[in-house]
Amino acid sequence: MGIISKVSSIFNSVIFGVSQSTQPIMGYNFGAQNYARVKSTYKRAALIVTGVSIAAFLCFQIFPRQIISVFRSGDALYYEFALRYFHIFLFCTFIVGVQILSAQFFPAIGKGGIGTMVSLSRQVFFLLPLVIIFPLLWGIDGVLWAGPISDGLSGVMALLFVRCEMKKWDCQ
């Protein structure tokens, strides 16, 4: 879990950098009621973070042994569990970038409450309950699957919130 946490932190740092750099552009243009520029900025940033997310996903799925070996070596049982955990827990990495970007989008347009909800959805609203419930049903596999299911649910929720918000602008 420590290795996955460290690898995720490196990946998330890149996503946060891109996401936070869009905030001033989106905030300024939202204030100027230039909604087309806000949409354009969000869409460009979404392409970038999705590209980074897909690249990370592919690395996590294709090269997990090499990534794990950077942090520690171990016996066959260690690698068996670490590889399995890596493959499963980081399975929905491809959608995490858009979820983080969306959490940064809402404060930029003056809707910090929604941004906080989107931000908390991944770790608090979905992951914590799933980590508690899933092991009761599926044992250790439940813990492994809680992460990607949380990532997927929060990513879809974030995209739906952004879509609803941007649809409102079409009427103005």
Side-chain angles (χ1 to χ4, degrees), residues 102-116:
S102 299
Q104 301 292 318
F105 164 77
F106 286 104
I109 63 166
K111 298 192 177 186
I114 297 173
T116 300

Side-chain angles (χ1 to χ4, degrees), residues 7-121:
V7 170
S8 292
S9 293
I10 294 166
F11 159 69
N12 287 338
S13 295
V14 174
I15 301 299
F16 276 113
V18 172
S19 299
Q20 289 177 344
S21 68
T22 64
Q23 278 189 318
I25 299 165
M26 290 189 290
Y28 175 83
N29 285 288
F30 184 80
Q33 297 181 346
N34 187 350
Y35 303 124
R37 183 116 190 253
V38 177
K39 284 182 182 182
S40 171
T41 302
Y42 180 88
K43 287 177 182 177
R44 286 180 187 182
L47 284 173
I48 293 167
V49 298
T50 300
V52 171
S53 297
I54 289 171
F57 168 78
L58 291 173
C59 286
F60 298 158
Q61 296 302 312
I62 297 170
F63 305 112
R65 180 177 284 279
Q66 292 82 353
I67 295 169
I68 293 164
S69 296
V70 169
F71 294 94
R72 182 172 182 256
S73 61
D75 61 10
L77 189 58
Y78 166 78
Y79 274 110
E80 179 184 336
F81 182 75
L83 291 170
R84 187 160 184 255
Y85 200 164
F86 221 79
H87 280 291
I88 294 172
F89 198 80
L90 297 172
F91 186 74
C92 282
T93 301
F94 59 88
I95 199 166
V96 171
V98 172
Q99 191 272 342
I100 293 171
L101 173 65
S102 299
Q104 301 292 318
F105 164 77
F106 286 104
I109 63 166
K111 298 192 177 186
I114 297 173
T116 300
M117 192 168 71
V118 170
S119 183
L120 291 174
S121 70

Side-chain angles (χ1 to χ4, degrees), residues 129-143 145-146 149:
L130 293 177
V131 165
I132 293 168
I133 295 167
F134 280 9
L136 298 173
L137 303 171
W138 300 296
I140 191 71
D141 285 347
V143 175
W145 283 103
I149 292 171

Side-chain angles (χ1 to χ4, degrees), residues 156-167:
V156 169
M157 185 187 94
L159 287 171
L160 291 173
F161 280 3
V162 169
R163 185 173 182 221
C164 287
E165 182 62 34
M166 289 184 179
K167 275 191 173 264

